[in-house]
Amino acid sequence: MESVASRYAQALVSIAKQEGKLNEYKVASLTMQEIFNAQPEVFKFLKSYFVKDENKEKVIDDLTKDLNLKNFTNFIKLLAKKHCIFDYKNILKEIVKNLNSELNISDGFVYSIEPLSEAKIKEISDAIGKKIGQKVELVNKVDTRLIAGIKVVVHDHVFDGSIKYKLETMKEQLKERRNV
């Protein structure tokens, strides 16, 4: 059964595709989430059942005026009017997943023992992208269990260059040699 978030996401991606503005809609969707994260009071205002739709629409117009995407603005207004804006994080995940699919982009994670610079993340993304033949967007997650090195996960692909993995591999190889 298809979720509400999935249906809303498919509708928005369909509009983005018709307009030929897939990247712009992705940026707009992520921008809205950044606004909601930075200004939780705005998100709370838009979720409220006690605020009139006209007032919500004015706020949404102000928030999206720089995006220059009328249909995106109308989409956010619809979410607020239908009281579905509370589920924006799940809708956003579906939007990004569907847009990435249309744009032939894979997303994933790069695990490291400390935060990586944007330049390093881009370098790793480009290298992994060449390996799998697709553009890759990575999010850095800190994992102190790695000891050193990095581990990259993109869908079903795992590229593990961590010391922890290398030590585990050596341990298995030593066990195999003892058994021979």
Side-chain angles (χ1 to χ4, degrees):
M1 189 169 132
E2 198 173 44
S3 72
V4 173
S6 180
R7 288 195 307 268
Y8 276 114
Q10 286 176 354
L12 185 68
V13 171
S14 175
I15 291 168
K17 197 172 178 181
Q18 286 174 355
E19 292 181 9
K21 296 182 176 182
L22 296 169
N23 278 320
E24 291 87 342
Y25 274 77
K26 183 176 176 182
V27 168
S29 299
L30 294 169
T31 299
M32 284 306 296
Q33 184 60 52
E34 288 175 12
I35 290 169
F36 293 157
N37 288 341
Q39 302 174 27
E41 66 281 356
V42 171
F43 190 55
K44 187 175 179 180
F45 176 84
L46 294 176
K47 291 190 310 184
S48 175
Y49 283 88
F50 302 108
V51 176
K52 291 183 180 181
D53 288 340
E54 301 84 45
N55 295 337
K56 291 179 184 181
E57 288 180 4
K58 288 177 187 174
V59 169
I60 293 168
D61 283 335
D62 286 343
L63 292 174
T64 61
K65 68 182 172 202
D66 293 336
L67 300 174
N68 294 321
L69 296 170
K70 186 176 189 269
N71 286 323
F72 180 79
T73 300
N74 290 337
F75 175 76
I76 300 299
K77 288 178 182 178
L78 177 69
L79 291 179
K81 185 175 184 171
K82 296 285 187 182
H83 302 288
C84 292
I85 196 119
F86 74 90
D87 201 22
Y88 189 75
K89 282 187 180 182
N90 289 325
I91 296 169
L92 173 68
K93 285 179 190 173
E94 290 293 321
I95 290 169
V96 170
K97 182 178 86 172
N98 292 345
L99 286 170
N100 280 348
S101 176
E102 291 291 331
L103 293 166
N104 197 30
I105 297 173
S106 290
D107 55 352
F109 298 98
V110 56
Y111 297 93
S112 59
I113 59 167
E114 57 187 33
L116 300 174
S117 68
E118 289 297 319
K120 190 66 174 171
I121 295 170
K122 181 169 177 12
E123 181 183 326
I124 295 165
S125 295
D126 292 345
I128 298 297
K130 283 182 183 177
K131 271 196 183 292
I132 65 173
Q134 202 172 21
K135 187 173 189 300
V136 174
E137 292 180 352
L138 297 174
V139 174
N140 186 211
K141 298 235 178 186
V142 174
D143 183 354
T144 55
R145 296 174 296 163
L146 294 179
I147 303 170
I150 62 169
K151 175 179 167 183
V152 179
V153 179
V154 178
H155 296 296
D156 296 340
H157 302 287
V158 178
F159 304 92
D160 200 337
S162 67
I163 297 296
K164 179 182 176 185
Y165 174 75
K166 290 177 182 175
L167 288 173
E168 288 173 3
T169 304
M170 287 171 51
K171 182 179 174 182
E172 290 301 315
Q173 288 173 348
L174 288 172
K175 282 181 182 178
E176 287 177 13
R177 286 185 184 161
R178 273 194 222 153
N179 293 334
V180 174

